[in-house]
Amino acid sequence: MQFVDKDLKSVQEARILVESARDAHVLLKEYGQQDLDRVIDKLMSDILIEIPELVDLEIAETKAGVKKDKLKLFEEFLPILEDKLKNQKVIGSLKENSHNQIETIGVSLGVVAVLLPTENIILNSLYATLIAIKSGNTVILVPQPRTEKVVARFYSKVAHICQESGLPQGAIGYMENTADEGVTQILAHPDTALVIDIGVPKYFDNNQVVNKPMIYGGTGSTPVFIEHTADIVQAAKSVVDSRSFDNGLLPAAEQFVLAEGVIANEVKSDMTEAGAYFLSDSEEEQLLGSLFLDEDHVNPLFVGQSATWLAKQSGFSVPENTKVLVSEKPYIFDENPFTNELKCPILTFYVEPDWMHACEKCIRLLKTKRNGHTLAIYSKDEAVIKEFALKKPVGRMIVNGPASFSSIGINSTLPVSLILGGLTTGRGFISKNVVAENLTYQRDIGYTKPNIRNHVQVQEVTQEKDISADKELLAKVLKKIMDQ
Amino acid sequence: MQFVDKDLKSVQEARILVESARDAHVLLKEYGQQDLDRVIDKLMSDILIEIPELVDLEIAETKAGVKKDKLKLFEEFLPILEDKLKNQKVIGSLKENSHNQIETIGVSLGVVAVLLPTENIILNSLYATLIAIKSGNTVILVPQPRTEKVVARFYSKVAHICQESGLPQGAIGYMENTADEGVTQILAHPDTALVIDIGVPKYFDNNQVVNKPMIYGGTGSTPVFIEHTADIVQAAKSVVDSRSFDNGLLPAAEQFVLAEGVIANEVKSDMTEAGAYFLSDSEEEQLLGSLFLDEDHVNPLFVGQSATWLAKQSGFSVPENTKVLVSEKPYIFDENPFTNELKCPILTFYVEPDWMHACEKCIRLLKTKRNGHTLAIYSKDEAVIKEFALKKPVGRMIVNGPASFSSIGINSTLPVSLILGGLTTGRGFISKNVVAENLTYQRDIGYTKPNIRNHVQVQEVTQEKDISADKELLAKVLKKIMDQ
């Protein structure tokens, strides 16, 4: 039998991948944190020289994003990540008590399957691989259809480096035949311990996979509120730069701008100054006509394209230095197509009378399509910031910073991570930035400790006795305990 | 139409329950931690007087366990839990930074569905309800078939107390028609945010439910190793008392005893002294014959019965003060039925030449049926304890204490909880003791922070330029960054 159908080939590959990864994990369990850290050191230094070529290949295959930005992202992200990983212990003995007794042990989970996104493939593949190795797991990279080639190239480089540095064969895997049947097989396989889905919602929403710990980290539709106390020039520039970076491909890029009424005109003119182009009604109609395939689906050719390209493709022209296209809306239309997940430099602009209305609007925006995991605010009023933070259904809120970068831990207090937990989008069990520790479980060691409270012995109450008397007695006794 | 089939009635009830709980959660979101704590205070004090009657009803319905023990468990567990809940903030602002800026916010998840076990129903229902309220969630209690009556009674008491204390109607729900179709409906409903399955593996293993964060907390099959440095008399008594408490119904009750060779006889005689009865081969055969319905399934009538009852039912007699039946085995038989989850006072006893062999045996026992989430050791040798803790696939290890109690936080350093995360049994995403915080997500507030490292600007590399020169340049630049 020479010929095997595509779906079966994919299923066969899936089985072999999971079994190899499982077997490699048996060996990997013998590696301590230092052994793993050595692999990471080597991988982080040896992969650098390959990055420009890999990014070229990624852009050639996906035709999305901006090379200069992608390289800049590597430059900013990797040193912070390296610092973080260097000073971190996630497996083995993590904590001792004051008597030098072991209290907590970090343990790897096993085989981690990673569903890669269609954008920033190399950086996502590298990040997922690094946190998997850091936490002693084996990893299977599952590319999206039509991006197999770039992941294959990445894999061949990484597998080589990892094997050279002593990682067991099969510890890093990559799927070549990505038919749905095979992907489902990987996800449902009993030896797959954890699934990390980086922005491929269909594997959640179609209910194809079952009862497995799953982490989801997709693209959010981030609303940003500019309050009247904000540094408006900085805020306007920050939003435009953040939204347009890599043509809008970062997972928490801003999608909605809400400006407080008293400063709305200033915000608009400062945004224009920074490279925003406010669309006329007819231009907006043209853009919508070309951007959407149907009500809810964006034309994939428009993903990661520049503002000028989007305009040209829609049949109108904008100044050459335009970085983002802005649609101003008086209120939220129920059928507003701009509330869909948009991975290109388009913003919707609303004017709100005050921060409380902005609060309401943000909640509505985040709930309409349930796409949101991140929120941003520009303000110098700590009380407003605090109030604003309390009620929104998001996993993180960025204060006075560009959401694209702050959310992933660049120049921000948030943990460095490219995978932004999407619990608030209704998927996965993690809302925070996903880090190596999330790919482990912790074993707690319990020691005996005398109870502080005194306990009262209650004699066995036989069934024959009068129950109501029992009740009174026991209630008294229990009350006594509770009142102590 | 008067008559509705059982499955449809259950589905209808499921829908109404989830929708009511969802609507109640909208109101509950306005409650602060203090409001919720007031409800908890009232519930914890008002429910006490009802407990003896509820426990009577539970024993009458399940015909399992020991009333005296169950009441003792309430007495020990509730005061510790009360202390814990009192000093804990899980929703609202949790953490501020040194500038008094808000950093972390705890947020309730929404509707929490709880699949109750068939044993310790009242205590589990109460614990699940308390941690759900503490964390601002609404809860739906789903009893096992044939235990609806006791949960109904519990529910009517609790719902009354909660409504009196101002909790919105529908915040606590209880399922009356527990057909599989209805239960599945609850678990798969888009408005169900979290499922806590307390020991009903079929909802994981049958893959009936999909892509929802699920916590599993079942009964483990705890191995306990008694090393030669242990206080043997104390260890032997502790194991027998712990295993026989409530006729073996606590989730981490010991199931396998491994004694180091040099002290094995002492352990045996001390265990006998403490109430253990070592079975002869023929008695063991009789016990197996009556205990198992087939290879893997324990006769439910034997769950939670006393050692003397088990013996009598199997056709042999044991001294009246017998607390546990012990089957001594020279090695692990592949088909040993005693490795199944056993919720009755039976132990298997192995002799091991040293702690390293015991280590291996524990791992094998834990992996055979993948039932284990807890391990115990008696030893005074800190080095052995540490080594022993490192490699076992369990979420917790108990040192020198009775596993039944130490695991749930009674007289131990572990967090007080009746739900022992079962990740290591292949189910759910939590391995630790499940507490109120696990029913929330946390929103992180990110502030800008200047980067410590200097970044080098890289000019855009145009596709036309010579790629190899680019590569060299960029690699140098990146290397420079990495070397800093």
Side-chain angles (χ1 to χ4, degrees), chain A residues 75 83 96 209 211 382 386 389-390 392 394 397 399 411 413 443-444 446-447 449 451 453 456 458, chain B residues 52 75 83 96 101 209 211 386 389-390 392 394 397 399 411 413 443-444 446-447 449 451 453 456 458:
Chain A
E75 287 174 31
D83 266 1
E96 299 199 339
V209 217
N211 304 347
E382 292 294 346
K386 198 170 273 188
L390 283 174
K392 309 297 175 304
V394 289
M397 186 177 95
V399 180
N411 298 338
T413 56
R443 182 177 307 139
D444 288 331
Y447 298 90
K449 185 187 78 175
N451 251 17
R453 288 167 182 263
V456 183
V458 181
Chain B
E75 287 173 32
D83 266 1
E96 300 199 339
Q101 292 171 318
V209 216
N211 304 346
K386 198 170 273 189
L390 283 174
K392 310 295 175 305
V394 289
M397 186 177 95
V399 179
N411 298 339
T413 56
R443 183 177 306 139
D444 288 330
Y447 298 90
K449 185 187 79 175
N451 251 18
R453 288 168 181 262
V456 183
V458 182

Side-chain angles (χ1 to χ4, degrees), chain B residues 265-279:
Chain B
N265 285 333
E266 216 179 323
V267 171
K268 280 178 73 171
S269 82
D270 287 339
M271 281 178 69
T272 307
E273 186 68 27
Y277 179 86
F278 283 77
L279 299 164

Side-chain angles (χ1 to χ4, degrees), chain A residues 237 240-241 243-244 247 274-277 306-307 319 321-325 345:
Chain A
K237 186 170 177 346
V240 170
D241 288 351
R243 180 46 165 167
S244 60
N247 290 342
Y277 179 85
S306 68
N321 61 356
T322 299
K323 290 179 163 179
V324 291
L325 304 178

Side-chain angles (χ1 to χ4, degrees), chain A residues 193-224:
Chain A
L194 175 75
V195 175
I196 303 180
D197 181 338
I198 313 181
V200 196
K202 75 169 173 175
Y203 287 107
F204 274 91
D205 304 350
N206 292 1
N207 291 342
Q208 297 190 12
V209 217
V210 276
N211 304 347
K212 184 88 65 184
M214 291 183 89
I215 293 174
Y216 186 82
T219 302
S221 303
T222 303
V224 48

Side-chain angles (χ1 to χ4, degrees), chain B residues 221-225 254-258 362 365-366 374-377:
Chain B
S221 303
T222 303
V224 48
F225 173 52
E254 294 83 350
Q255 186 161 337
F256 311 102
V257 180
L258 295 83
C362 282
L365 285 168
L366 289 163
T374 303
L375 177 74
I377 185 172

Side-chain angles (χ1 to χ4, degrees), chain A residues 29-30 44 48-49 51-53 56 59 66-68 71-72 75-76 78-80 82-83 93 96 100-102 104-105 109 190 203-204 207-211 213-214 367 370 382 385-386 389-402 406 410-414 423-424 428-429 431-432 441-451 453 455-461 463 467 470-471 474-475 478-479 481-482, chain B residues 29-30 44 48-49 51-53 56 59 66-68 71-72 75-76 78-80 82-83 93 96 100-102 104-105 109 190 203-204 207-211 213-214 367 370 382 385-386 389-402 406 410-414 423-424 428-429 431-432 441-451 453 455-461 463 467 470-471 474-475 478-479 481-482:
Chain A
K29 276 198 276 192
E30 302 300 319
M44 285 195 98
L48 280 181
I49 198 167
I51 285 173
E53 186 202 324
D56 276 337
I59 292 177
V66 181
K67 179 170 179 180
K68 177 186 60 132
L71 294 181
K72 187 160 188 291
E75 287 174 31
E76 303 252 349
L78 289 185
I80 304 172
E82 198 193 18
D83 266 1
S93 171
E96 299 199 339
N100 292 326
Q101 292 171 316
I102 193 165
T104 313
I105 296 165
L109 289 173
Y203 287 107
F204 274 91
N207 291 342
Q208 297 190 12
V209 217
V210 276
N211 304 347
M214 291 183 89
K367 283 192 170 168
R370 225 183 158 190
E382 292 294 346
I385 293 171
K386 198 170 273 188
L390 283 174
K391 298 270 165 100
K392 309 297 175 304
V394 289
R396 62 196 65 70
M397 186 177 95
I398 310 300
V399 180
N400 296 325
S406 296
I410 292 179
N411 298 338
S412 102
T413 56
L414 293 180
L423 178 140
T424 56
F429 66 90
S431 65
K432 295 194 173 227
Y441 72 90
Q442 289 183 2
R443 182 177 307 139
D444 288 331
I445 315 300
Y447 298 90
T448 51
K449 185 187 78 175
N451 251 17
R453 288 167 182 263
H455 290 292
V456 183
Q457 289 295 324
V458 181
Q459 292 306 306
E460 177 157 24
V461 183
Q463 302 283 340
I467 297 283
D470 277 358
K471 263 176 58 177
L474 187 75
L478 288 173
K479 193 166 179 326
I481 300 168
M482 307 296 288
Chain B
K29 277 199 275 193
E30 302 300 319
M44 285 196 97
L48 280 182
I49 197 166
I51 285 173
E53 186 202 323
D56 276 337
I59 292 177
V66 181
K67 180 169 179 180
K68 178 188 60 136
L71 294 181
K72 187 159 187 291
E75 287 173 32
E76 302 252 348
L78 289 185
I80 304 173
E82 198 193 20
D83 266 1
S93 171
E96 300 199 339
N100 291 326
Q101 292 171 318
I102 193 166
T104 313
I105 296 165
L109 289 173
Y203 287 107
F204 274 91
N207 291 342
Q208 297 190 12
V209 216
V210 276
N211 304 346
M214 291 183 89
K367 283 191 170 168
R370 225 185 158 188
E382 293 294 346
I385 293 171
K386 198 170 273 189
L390 283 174
K391 297 270 165 100
K392 310 295 175 305
V394 289
R396 62 196 65 70
M397 186 177 95
I398 310 300
V399 179
N400 296 325
S406 296
I410 292 179
N411 298 339
S412 103
T413 56
L414 293 180
L423 178 139
T424 55
F429 66 90
S431 65
K432 295 192 173 231
Y441 71 90
Q442 290 183 1
R443 183 177 306 139
D444 288 330
I445 315 301
Y447 298 90
T448 52
K449 185 187 79 175
N451 251 18
R453 288 168 181 262
H455 290 292
V456 183
Q457 289 295 324
V458 182
Q459 293 306 305
E460 176 157 24
V461 184
Q463 302 284 339
I467 298 283
D470 277 358
K471 263 177 58 179
L474 187 74
L478 288 173
K479 192 164 180 326
I481 300 168
M482 307 296 289

